[in-house]
């Protein structure tokens, strides 16, 4: 089918709310490892997609999925060993008491369930989220996803707080105590909730603030925020939907970089490498409190096929030593970007870690004025050169490199060469 015809049919069948990347959208037909192929057989390096965590169509994952699909697929009201084995393997990668898994199908559902659990465990209803965040698309979770500008006032039990943006936020990187100042904003949020008659049930924190422009929370920020929310009677929910499963390169889970231990962890996207698998992990005491309030059942969450896929993904992460590989490739990528910054004045900031890297483009390094038009043109130029990425952040001037975890040094070199060429149009 021609691309033009598919675009017209899609517009009629799916309606206008669906958007797509690129002025001329990509029509992808096949994926393999870090490579994607379009309908004309053109090959692209995938520098953007985190869902195919262990690479597109990894044979081990495909084999596990098809084998279990050909054997049995039911739900968690019957006994099956896969879901138990997967929960045990998953929680073995987590610290402390984080040992109970509740299975869902999407990150949105995971965060929605996390709030219900936090409410049951604390008896409170308040929720604190960070400005610019995206945590999902349910009615509740969309209220916790302000993405900068709220279209309507937040419900009275939700309060936003500014995340630690050390480049363009209220407190800059060089400013003494910037991380502490950002953490102290949580005091105001707790007071604001109290004014509206609420105590916090939870604060939801990204282990890397992706939608706000890829900001890594300083350990001190995380530690202080955890203390403040707990002192006010709330729980900490770490959203690992983006940062989890070795992506940040030092630990399996992003929050571990800060030496903190959340009460609830939510996981999604990369866990099933494309299969809809998402999880809420919490402590036995908190899981018991939730069980006292309600039974929990999710028709598709935790089915034997999903669990088989989840285990196959964990196999690959271990067998291909992805934690070490992410660390190595990420450091190489960031060093390459720093070298590009010596030649291209549009590069205002390079941030992130592991394989979660952002490059913020500016008109001028002094004023830090966002170079949004240049950023859009760079994304298109990269695509022309066979490299896929996209923009992030309020001003859409930040390039996001968040490839499958199996991305290697030679792939980073291809992306760097393409970026070098794309940026030279703006020197
Ligand atoms: N949390 C974060 C941090 C996310 O980035 C997303 C999706 N972009 C979600 C939750 C929601 O996940 P899903 O789209 O699977 O519902």
């Amino acid at each position: 089918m021609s691309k033009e015809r598919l675009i017209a049919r899609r517009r009629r069948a799916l309606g206008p709310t669906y958007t797509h990347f690129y002025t001329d959208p990509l029509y992808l037909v096949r994926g393999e490892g870090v490579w994607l192929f379009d309908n004309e057989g053109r090959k692209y390096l995938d520098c953007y997609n985190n869902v195919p965590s262990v690479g597109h169509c990894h044979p081990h994952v495909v084999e596990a999925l098809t084998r279990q699909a050909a054997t049995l697929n039911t739900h968690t009201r019957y006994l099956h060993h896969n879901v138990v084995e997967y929960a045990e393997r998953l929680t073995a990668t987590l610290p402390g008491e984080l040992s109970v898994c509740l299975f869902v199908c999407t990150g949105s559902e995971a965060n929605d369930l996390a709030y219900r659990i936090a409410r049951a465990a604390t008896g409170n209803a308040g929720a604190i989220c960070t400005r610019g965040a995206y945590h999902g698309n349910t009615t509740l979770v969309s209220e916790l996803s302000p993405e900068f500008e709220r279209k309507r006032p937040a419900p009275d039990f939700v309060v936003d707080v500014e995340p630690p943006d050390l480049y363009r936020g209220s407190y800059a990187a060089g400013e003494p105590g910037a991380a502490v100042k950002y953490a102290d904003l949580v005091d105001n949020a707790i007071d604001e909730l109290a004014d509206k008659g609420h105590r916090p049930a939870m604060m939801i924190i990204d282990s890397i603030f992706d939608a706000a422009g890829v900001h890594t929370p300083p350990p001190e920020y995380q530690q202080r925020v955890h203390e403040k929310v707990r002192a006010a009677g709330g729980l900490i929910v770490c959203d690992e939907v983006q940062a989890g499963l070795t992506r940040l390169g030092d630990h399996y889970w992003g929050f571990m970089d800060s030496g903190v231990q959340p009460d609830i962890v939510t996981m999604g996207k990369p866990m099933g490498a494309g299969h809809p698998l998402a999880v809420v992990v919490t402590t036995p005491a908190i899981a018991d409190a939730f069980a006292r309030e309600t039974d929990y059942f999710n028709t598709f969450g935790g089915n034997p096929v999903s669990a088989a896929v989840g285990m196959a993904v964990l196999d690959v992460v271990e067998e291909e030593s992805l934690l070490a590989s992410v660390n190595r490739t990420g450091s190489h990528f960031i060093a390459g970007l720093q070298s590009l910054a010596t030649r291209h004045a549009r590069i205002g900031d390079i941030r992130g870690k592991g394989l979660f890297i952002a490059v913020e483009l500016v008109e001028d390094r002094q004023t830090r004025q966002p170079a949004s038009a240049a950023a859009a043109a760079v994304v298109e130029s990269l695509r022309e050169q066979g490299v896929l990425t996209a923009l992030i952040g309020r001003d859409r001037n930040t390039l996001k490199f968040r490839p499958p975890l199996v991305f290697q040094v030679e792939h980073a070199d291809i992306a760097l060469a393409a970026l070098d060429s794309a940026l030279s149009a703006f020197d």
Side-chain angles (χ1 to χ4, degrees):
M1 190 193 328
S2 81
K3 192 149 99 178
E4 291 64 34
R5 195 162 139 62
L6 183 59
I7 293 169
R9 282 178 57 192
R10 174 178 141 127
R11 170 82 188 188
R12 274 195 303 276
L14 276 59
T17 191
Y18 280 84
T19 58
H20 50 67
F21 286 156
Y22 302 110
T23 342
D24 172 24
L26 267 176
Y27 181 1
L28 295 173
V29 294
R30 189 167 75 79
E32 187 181 331
V34 295
W35 298 100
L36 286 163
F37 300 83
D38 74 8
N39 60 324
E40 288 166 357
R42 188 147 184 229
K43 185 175 169 183
Y44 299 89
L45 179 65
D46 187 354
C47 292
Y48 184 74
N49 290 292
N50 56 345
V51 170
S53 48
V54 294
H56 291 274
C57 307
H58 194 292
H60 182 63
V61 177
V62 173
E63 199 266 335
L65 186 152
T66 46
R67 184 148 40 92
Q68 186 58 46
T71 308
L72 174 74
N73 203 15
T74 51
H75 53 75
T76 48
R77 284 201 169 118
Y78 300 108
L79 289 181
H80 198 279
H81 51 272
N82 278 9
V83 70
V84 177
E85 206 175 314
Y86 180 50
E88 287 170 355
R89 282 186 62 184
L90 192 58
T91 54
T93 66
L94 284 155
E97 299 268 287
L98 291 164
S99 59
V100 181
C101 295
L102 290 92
F103 288 93
V104 289
C105 308
T106 66
S108 303
E109 263 188 286
N111 287 326
D112 197 291
L113 180 60
Y115 174 73
R116 290 183 64 201
I117 294 172
R119 212 175 42 177
T122 62
N124 301 335
I128 304 171
C129 59
T130 52
R131 212 165 293 150
Y134 181 79
H135 294 293
N137 61 22
T138 69
T139 305
L140 167 75
V141 177
S142 63
E143 298 290 7
L144 303 175
S145 304
E147 285 205 275
F148 304 110
E149 303 242 337
R150 287 190 178 272
K151 302 275 184 318
R152 62 178 70 83
D156 71 345
F157 64 92
V158 175
V159 170
D160 310 342
V161 71
E162 183 181 350
D165 170 352
L166 295 165
Y167 184 63
R168 198 192 290 289
S170 298
Y171 313 110
E175 198 171 323
V180 171
K181 287 179 181 160
Y182 278 112
D184 287 349
L185 296 176
V186 171
D187 293 331
N188 305 344
I190 293 168
D191 290 346
E192 207 180 311
L193 276 178
D195 290 344
K196 296 176 185 173
H198 291 293
R199 281 160 56 88
M202 68 168 196
M203 174 162 173
I204 182 161
I205 308 177
D206 282 325
S207 298
I208 193 159
F209 295 102
D210 169 48
V214 185
H215 302 284
T216 317
E220 207 176 358
Y221 173 84
Q222 289 270 48
Q223 287 155 11
R224 287 178 79 92
V225 165
H226 280 226
E227 281 164 22
K228 287 170 190 295
V229 173
R230 287 199 176 120
L235 302 185
I236 294 287
V237 177
C238 275
D239 183 334
E240 289 278 346
V241 170
Q242 290 280 348
L245 202 67
T246 75
R247 178 152 299 276
L248 301 192
D250 284 329
H251 297 97
Y252 261 65
W253 309 102
F255 69 82
M256 292 168 79
D257 290 359
S258 302
V260 290
Q261 252 185 60
D263 304 291
I264 301 176
V265 182
T266 56
M267 307 166 176
K269 291 176 185 277
M271 308 305 293
H275 184 83
L277 166 60
V279 194
V280 176
V281 188
T282 191
T283 66
I286 294 171
D288 285 351
F290 186 52
R292 280 195 291 278
E293 185 171 293
T294 182
D295 285 348
Y296 173 71
F297 175 65
N298 186 310
T299 301
F300 299 113
N303 70 70
V305 173
S306 299
V309 169
M311 282 193 279
V313 169
L314 291 182
D315 290 343
V316 178
V317 171
E318 284 161 27
E319 281 159 21
E320 299 187 13
S321 307
L322 292 188
L323 184 59
S325 153
V326 165
N327 194 305
R328 190 171 53 244
T329 311
S331 305
H332 178 85
F333 205 153
I334 289 173
L337 289 168
Q338 279 158 350
S339 156
L340 289 189
T342 62
R343 282 182 286 118
H344 300 289
R346 292 286 158 163
I347 298 185
D349 195 28
I350 297 162
R351 48 181 185 262
K353 65 186 295 251
L355 286 176
F356 212 138
I357 300 169
V359 181
E360 181 154 357
L361 301 187
V362 291
E363 298 292 351
D364 177 288
R365 282 185 180 163
Q366 236 48 49
T367 63
R368 300 186 176 181
Q369 192 195 329
S372 308
V378 166
V379 169
E380 294 285 348
S381 162
L382 288 174
R383 178 249 173 102
E384 287 308 310
Q385 299 179 71
V387 171
L388 302 185
T389 184
L391 298 176
I392 192 79
R394 181 184 40 212
D395 298 301
R396 287 288 184 268
N397 65 320
T398 300
L399 304 164
K400 178 159 88 171
F401 294 94
R402 186 201 46 182
L405 302 167
V406 290
F407 206 75
Q408 300 297 320
V409 162
E410 66 262 29
H411 305 127
D413 287 340
I414 295 171
L416 287 163
L419 184 60
D420 193 7
S421 155
L423 285 171
S424 48
F426 299 95
D427 289 340

